[in-house]
Amino acid sequence: MSMNLAQYLEHNTDAHMNVLISAIAEVSQAISAAVHKGALGGVLGSAGSENVQGETQKKLDIIANDMILDALSATGVVAGMASEELDDCSPVPGHSDRPFLVLFDPLDGSSNIDVNVSIGTIFSVLPNPDVGEITNESFLQPGTEQLAAGYVVYGPQTSLVLTFGKGVVAFTLDREAGEYIQTSESMDIPEDTKEFAINMSNQRHWYAPVQGYIAELLEGKTGVRGKDFNMRWIASMVADVHRVLTRGGIFMYPKDLRDPNKPGKLRLMYEANPMSLLVEQAGGKSFDATQRILDIQPTDLHQRCAVMLGSANEVQRVSDRHHN
Ligand code: P6P
C-alpha cells in the first residue's frame, strides 16, 4: 500500500518542513484545478501586464503567484518569499525569525497554458540566514544551501516531485481523494541516454562547443557517437525535466551569441537551482557550461544562467567540450 504525502512527510521531515511542504502541496491542488478548468474558468489569456522579466503575464501566472504567497505566509514557518513574478522579495511582516526562505516560479512554461500543454510550479527552500530583516540579499545563497526543492507538473497527471537531499521521490494527485499518493520511492536518471532536449531554432546562435556537441548527436549511428538520438522540446522546463528524471536525457538551454552579456534564458534561483538539486539527487549532473550550477554564488534574485542537465555522461561530455 503506497504512502500518501502526509504519511511520507511524517516519517521523513521535521515539523517545520512538514508544515511547509504540506502547504505547497495543498495550494498546488488549487492551482491544478484552475489549470485543468482552462477556458471554462475564464482565467486563460493575458493579464495585460508584464513581469520583471518583461514577459507578458498570463492571468493564471498572477493567480498562482498570489495563491502561493498567501499559502506560504500562513504556514508560520516562512520568513520571506521571492517569485519570478515579483520584482523584489516579499518578507512576511514581523516574522523575520522564521526558519525558511522560499523561492518559486508559480507557473513555469506559462506560454503553454493557452495551448493545453503541461506547465508547472517550481520551488526552492533556503535556510533563513538569521541576519535581521529579510531583503533580496538574504536569498543570494548558492544552490548547495537548499534544504528542499521540488516541482508540481500539471499534465495528464498532476505530480509532485521532491528532494530533501536524500534522493528524489514522486507523488501523483488522486483528485477524488484530494491527496497525493507516493508513486516513486527513488527517481534515478540513467548515466547514458539517446534523447536530447534543446530549442533547435536557436542553432545558428550557439557557441562552438554546443554546435559541435549537437552536430554529433544529429550524425547518429553514422557519426562518432555510433547511435541514433531522439529529440524532444516541450518548451516547458518542468515537463522537459520531468521526462529527464523519469527516463533520462539531456536538457539544454545554453548561452548564445544573441546577447554575450546574457548568460542564458533560464533563471538561477527558482528554475536552475531547484531543478539541479533534483537532477543531482537522482544521479544526474547539472552544469552552466563550465561549472556546477549549484556552486554558483548568486548576485541577483533574477539572474539567469545557461543550463545543461540530465544524464551524467552526456552532461560531462558537453561540459568537457567547453574546457577543451
Ligand atoms: P523557448 C518557459 O517560458 C521557459 O522559461 C522554460 O520553461 C522553457 O524551458 C523555456 O522557457 C522555453 O524557451 O525559447 O524554447 O520558448
Side-chain angles (χ1 to χ4, degrees), residues 55 84 105 107-112 122 198-199 201-202 233-240 251 253 258 265-267 271 304:
E55 295 167 341
E84 180 194 54
D105 183 351
L107 214 48
D108 179 77
S110 52
S111 58
N112 287 308
I122 310 171
I198 194 166
N199 184 335
S201 70
N202 298 326
W233 188 249
I234 305 173
S236 175
M237 186 184 196
V238 176
D240 278 314
F251 168 92
Y253 212 111
R258 284 174 288 183
K265 172 178 184 181
L266 302 177
R267 294 85 172 179
E271 290 178 339
R304 300 172 188 263

Side-chain angles (χ1 to χ4, degrees), residues 16-28:
H16 286 162
M17 187 61 79
N18 188 332
V19 165
L20 175 61
I21 302 301
S22 299
I24 291 172
E26 186 176 347
V27 72
S28 76

Side-chain angles (χ1 to χ4, degrees), residues 180-252:
Y180 282 99
I181 304 298
Q182 187 168 13
T183 40
S184 174
E185 294 180 4
S186 174
M187 297 189 86
D188 299 301
I189 301 175
E191 287 185 337
D192 294 302
T193 183
K194 292 184 177 180
E195 199 158 65
F196 69 100
I198 194 166
N199 184 335
M200 287 299 293
S201 70
N202 298 326
Q203 191 265 350
R204 65 189 181 283
H205 304 305
W206 298 334
Y207 286 90
V210 174
Q211 291 273 10
Y213 173 72
I214 297 294
E216 278 185 1
L217 304 189
L218 295 176
E219 286 169 358
K221 65 175 65 164
T222 63
V224 296
R225 299 305 306 273
K227 62 181 181 180
D228 289 340
F229 285 77
N230 194 20
M231 197 208 88
R232 288 285 182 274
W233 188 249
I234 305 173
S236 175
M237 186 184 196
V238 176
D240 278 314
V241 172
H242 188 70
R243 186 190 58 252
V244 169
L245 277 164
T246 304
R247 69 187 191 205
I250 180 169
F251 168 92
M252 299 170 69

Side-chain angles (χ1 to χ4, degrees), residues 4-15:
N4 63 26
L5 179 64
Q7 293 163 330
Y8 178 85
L9 295 175
E10 184 65 27
H11 290 96
N12 292 279
T13 62
D14 66 23

Side-chain angles (χ1 to χ4, degrees), residues 140-158:
L140 300 185
Q141 304 176 41
T144 46
E145 294 302 306
Q146 292 177 98
L147 301 172
Y151 60 80
V152 180
V153 53
Y154 310 108
Q157 306 101 43
T158 288

Side-chain angles (χ1 to χ4, degrees), residues 64-312:
N65 189 63
D66 295 346
M67 289 164 73
I68 296 170
L69 287 171
D70 293 344
L72 299 190
S73 301
T75 58
V77 295
V78 175
M81 292 159 279
S83 166
E84 180 194 54
E85 304 302 338
L86 298 176
D87 295 2
D88 292 307
C89 74
S90 177
V92 178
H95 293 292
S96 61
D97 59 340
R98 288 175 171 172
F100 302 129
L101 300 180
V102 183
L103 303 98
F104 54 89
D105 183 351
L107 214 48
D108 179 77
S110 52
S111 58
N112 287 308
I113 293 175
D114 297 347
V115 294
N116 200 12
V117 169
S118 298
I119 51 182
T121 299
I122 310 171
F123 60 90
S124 169
V125 183
L126 289 170
N128 178 346
D130 288 331
V131 287
E133 72 167 305
I134 302 300
T135 66
N136 287 355
E137 283 63 38
S138 310
F139 292 80
L140 300 185
Q141 304 176 41
T144 46
E145 294 302 306
Q146 292 177 98
L147 301 172
Y151 60 80
V152 180
V153 53
Y154 310 108
Q157 306 101 43
T158 288
S159 296
L160 167 65
V161 177
L162 279 173
T163 183
F164 300 103
K166 301 187 185 91
V168 179
V169 289
F171 300 80
T172 300
L173 179 61
D174 178 339
R175 253 185 239 289
E176 285 71 33
E179 62 179 357
Y180 282 99
I181 304 298
Q182 187 168 13
T183 40
S184 174
E185 294 180 4
S186 174
M187 297 189 86
D188 299 301
I189 301 175
E191 287 185 337
D192 294 302
T193 183
K194 292 184 177 180
E195 199 158 65
F196 69 100
I198 194 166
N199 184 335
M200 287 299 293
S201 70
N202 298 326
Q203 191 265 350
R204 65 189 181 283
H205 304 305
W206 298 334
Y207 286 90
V210 174
Q211 291 273 10
Y213 173 72
I214 297 294
E216 278 185 1
L217 304 189
L218 295 176
E219 286 169 358
K221 65 175 65 164
T222 63
V224 296
R225 299 305 306 273
K227 62 181 181 180
D228 289 340
F229 285 77
N230 194 20
M231 197 208 88
R232 288 285 182 274
W233 188 249
I234 305 173
S236 175
M237 186 184 196
V238 176
D240 278 314
V241 172
H242 188 70
R243 186 190 58 252
V244 169
L245 277 164
T246 304
R247 69 187 191 205
I250 180 169
F251 168 92
M252 299 170 69
Y253 212 111
K255 170 185 170 110
D256 69 39
L257 292 158
R258 284 174 288 183
D259 181 351
N261 298 319
K262 187 175 171 186
K265 172 178 184 181
L266 302 177
R267 294 85 172 179
L268 174 64
M269 297 305 293
Y270 38 79
E271 290 178 339
N273 269 343
M275 291 312 201
S276 296
L277 184 62
L278 287 160
V279 164
E280 287 199 2
Q281 283 294 312
K285 289 188 175 181
S286 183
F287 293 161
D288 72 345
T290 57
Q291 70 172 311
R292 188 175 170 234
I293 285 178
L294 293 179
D295 289 335
I296 296 174
Q297 175 55 55
T299 54
D300 181 85
L301 209 46
H302 299 290
Q303 75 183 70
R304 300 172 188 263
C305 67
V307 177
M308 301 170 191
L309 61 78
S311 293

